Amino acid sequence: MTGSAEREDQALASLAALLSGAVTDAIRAARGFAGGVYLRSSTPGLLRLAVLAGLPGPLFRPWWRMHVDRPFPAADAHRLGVEVLLADPTETMRRYPQLAAGLPFPFGSLYVPVVGAATPFGVLTVLRPSASDATEVLPDRDRMTAVADELGAVLASLDKNGQGVLWDGEPLCTRPPADAPSSRCVGGFTWDPTDGTVIADDALWALLGTSREGFTGTPEALARAVTRDDPRLLLAALRDTAAGSPPPHPLPVRTADGGLRLLELWISGAAPAPPYRVSGVVVDPGPGPAADGAADLLPEGVFAFDRLGLITYANPRAAELLGRPLPELLGRPLWEAVPWLDRPAYEDHLRGALLSPDPVHFQIRRPRGDGREATPGRTGGTWLMLSVYPGPNSLTCKIVPMGRVADTAEAIPYDERAMAAVPVGPEADEPMSGVPTTPPQYRPIVLAIALTEAVTARQVSEVVMRELLPAFGGRRLAIYLLQDRRMYLAWETGFPQGFLAPFDGVSLDAKLPGVEVLTNGRPLFFESMRQLAAAYPGIALDAKEGARAFLPLIASGRPVGSCILGFDRSRDFTTEDRTVLTALAGLIAQALERARRYDDESALARGLQEALLPHRLSAHPLVKTAGRYLPGTVGMDVGGDWYDVVKAGDGLALVIGDVQGHGVQAAATMGQLRSAVRAFTLGDHSPDEVMSGTNQLLIDLDPGQFASCCYVRVDPVTGVARAARAGHPQPLLRHPDGRTEVLDLPGGVVLGVDPRAQYPVTELQLEPDAVLALYTDGLVERPGTDIDEGVEILRAALARAGTPHGRPGSPSLSRAADLLTAEARQATERPDDIALLLTTRRSPRGSGH
């Protein structure tokens, strides 16, 4: 490893230690059970979870990345520089339905921006038990803010000294801080290596069964007091922790009287670099299943895992039911030791156990003994009931075969045929006959992800129909949107033909459930059609039986419309059902509001782009050109690709460029760059001067975007071409004999990044009947393949296109442009815009020149 790489690793380790200590202090300050810190990354606008304490990282992978524009509290705290306090699930659901939909569990949370020297670095976040009143959380927030301020000051110092304060990797998962030393069973201490002093509390001495008299306050004295076996091992662990490497697991130690104790160490404080302050606790584990072996004799399977998912105990019956030998369970993460638990429905239940104090019960299916997953139509696999009982530091699990559940009055019916027919994939949440069903609450994550991809009202409705209805067993869906104080039907499925027509266009004064949920902001749930008819006498009913849910669609306080879910049979709506459906309604409303803004912005961007792209290219008797532009079809359909042909003295300048991004901003920047290039060209500047001037203009404008560009100035008479390139794909040149090559033009960096960038000029010869092809990367990029492969495909296609002059029947330049873009035009999805500019030159002989 080079010295530079070693320094980078040391800097990253120091940053990780600093962040871990801050998270630990924040969890204590806010009286939480878990927490983390988001840090800015090298990707603009993207935060990454740098440290996660008290929760297993793999179970919370969907929250590892957070864009600052997303409707999440961590994003708001960073973008707006404000603290976000969510005291309970109700407040979370009201303000951040997307978070509540993804984690529909009873917990509160705090988010505090980390800012130093006016630079936002990230966000500290702590998860804590729900509070009945937000005012009781205010002192916790203030203490947590002090931790964030201290961390921000240290990060600002690191940033000023040139140590990059960025995080681009996976989160570092650490243990939560141990409980405060409040009894004789737990004793705590702190060692500050900068002055060498150790401070221990009275509970530690009571736990060790000794006196503080004679204690000299050094780490060596602490090591001798804590363990009789080998104080050197404890001393080494203290020093490793101060250097940034705390032990991953509690250390077993023996006191002077021979008693077993557990020692846990962690980094505390906010020192910018080693040595760090070290805190620790000594715990008396007391009697328990792992200590006295009593649980080994139980007929039920019992196992436990800590808050990072590490299995700490399993009895023989649990190993038998999980299908793994004990040595393959102990000390390993749950999803690694039992890989078939890695399914969305199971993971959502485990998240619930980690985030709420209530026990969680759900059924799991162990695959066949040969390791194959049970599949529809296969009778292999064993159904088990798993009960998870949360604790402050670990979770205890009981596992029994389906059909015999200990401590219950009735056995759960077991139907092997029904079990065998249950799907294994994401569709596994469909109701089963005769057995408890897996709740569909893991679906909100899928719905949330899918809704972020939907950009039109129709796409939003399709997502709701595909993801939400199956999760709750619904068969009917209607979405109404508010416009000019009237409700208009935007989407329907499952209702009798024409049934909803009389309700289309009703005013907000109508006494209808779909209207009233929007006007009063509260959802309505009817468990039967009888209930609906009683609440709204005379209302037309589309069926004799069934339940209905009417949900208000409100985004950021703005009424958007209402959503109606219909079920074929009567059903109960549990508290969890109502909570999740209400949260999902907010999610849908945000997506529909975003779709409305998309339609408005898209129309504006399209009009702007149409006005800015050239309607007629400059011409010359000896030069022919043909251009093509195809907008992307994914997302905002409008981007910043452009091409142009400009008169330059006695010749022509060929230009093609690509502004990063899509939408109005990209189109506006494109128009500014096109105007700048034309102005510099008409001023008879050389290609390098055109590129340098345009680069400086883009930097001065500072739109937060950059652009690639290729500029070629051609002398029509001699065929001499002088080219400059700024981070753009290399042009193609088809020679008159059919030989086609990818040119190798030296270039500079993209425009808008470096004010001192240089753009070298290359001279090349454009022979008569040769074809020069300039294009943007949307024409050659293909998902899952290297861009060079796409360039080679385009080169081969240009070689087959033939010469535009010479032989009778050979294709025109326009026809060649159509051939090169044919595949892209036929594609249903184009992730990016495409621009193409072809140029050919005639021989001066016989042309009048």
Side-chain angles (χ1 to χ4, degrees), residues 386-575:
L386 182 63
S387 299
V388 186
Y389 301 90
N393 299 312
S394 64
L395 295 88
T396 302
C397 306
K398 182 171 65 179
I399 183 170
V400 296
M402 291 290 291
R404 185 187 66 79
V405 180
D407 303 328
T408 58
E410 296 181 358
I412 296 178
Y414 176 72
D415 184 338
E416 183 174 354
R417 289 174 300 174
M419 291 292 189
V422 176
V424 172
E427 68 277 13
D429 57 331
E430 292 294 339
M432 297 184 296
S433 173
V435 295
T437 60
T438 300
Q441 274 67 29
Y442 79 92
R443 279 287 189 176
I445 298 178
V446 179
L447 178 65
I449 295 172
L451 283 176
T452 62
E453 308 270 332
V455 294
T456 66
R458 180 180 181 84
Q459 290 172 346
V460 172
S461 303
E462 288 174 344
V463 168
V464 174
M465 182 181 68
R466 184 177 68 247
E467 302 294 348
L468 181 59
L469 282 184
F472 289 88
R475 292 291 183 269
R476 292 170 168 82
L477 169 68
I479 292 180
Y480 285 85
L481 297 181
L482 178 64
Q483 183 178 353
D484 298 330
R485 295 188 57 78
R486 291 187 175 273
M487 303 284 284
Y488 293 95
L489 183 63
W491 179 274
E492 67 167 305
T493 183
F495 286 91
Q497 186 175 3
F499 172 77
L500 295 177
F503 304 104
D504 192 15
V506 297
S507 72
L508 292 184
D509 300 327
K511 184 174 174 54
L512 295 169
V515 174
E516 293 187 353
V517 293
L518 184 62
T519 56
N520 61 33
R522 292 190 298 273
L524 292 173
F525 298 93
F526 299 100
E527 297 177 354
S528 67
M529 298 303 283
R530 189 181 303 107
Q531 281 188 0
L532 176 59
Y536 292 88
I539 190 174
L541 303 177
D542 60 299
K544 294 181 179 179
E545 297 183 0
R548 294 291 181 270
F550 295 83
L551 308 173
L553 301 180
I554 301 174
S556 302
R558 181 182 182 277
V560 175
S562 62
C563 175
I564 304 172
L565 300 180
F567 305 85
D568 289 342
R569 299 178 182 176
S570 300
R571 59 162 290 169
D572 295 333
F573 291 98
T574 66
T575 300

Side-chain angles (χ1 to χ4, degrees), residues 626 628 801 811-820 825 838:
R628 295 291 183 271
S812 67
L813 199 64
S814 180
R815 174 60 176 159
D818 289 338
L819 291 173
L820 296 182
R825 284 199 312 274
L838 299 182

Side-chain angles (χ1 to χ4, degrees), residues 37 115 191-192 239 334 372 383 395 634 691 720 728 753 844:
V37 59
V115 180
W191 171 42
D192 189 346
R239 289 170 176 163
L334 179 61
R372 292 180 294 169
W383 280 95
L395 295 88
V634 177
M691 299 296 271
V720 173
H728 201 81
V753 173

Side-chain angles (χ1 to χ4, degrees), residues 12 41-42 48-51 64-65 166-172:
L12 185 59
S41 70
S42 58
R48 286 186 180 271
L49 188 60
V51 174
W64 284 9
R65 294 155 50 96
L166 300 172
W167 194 275
D168 288 311
E170 295 184 356
L172 174 67

Side-chain angles (χ1 to χ4, degrees), residues 654 712 731-734 743 766 770-774 837-840:
L654 315 172
V712 183
L732 302 179
L733 181 62
R734 187 189 191 281
L743 297 179
L766 185 63
V771 178
L772 179 68
L774 308 180
L837 178 62
L838 299 182
T839 304
T840 189

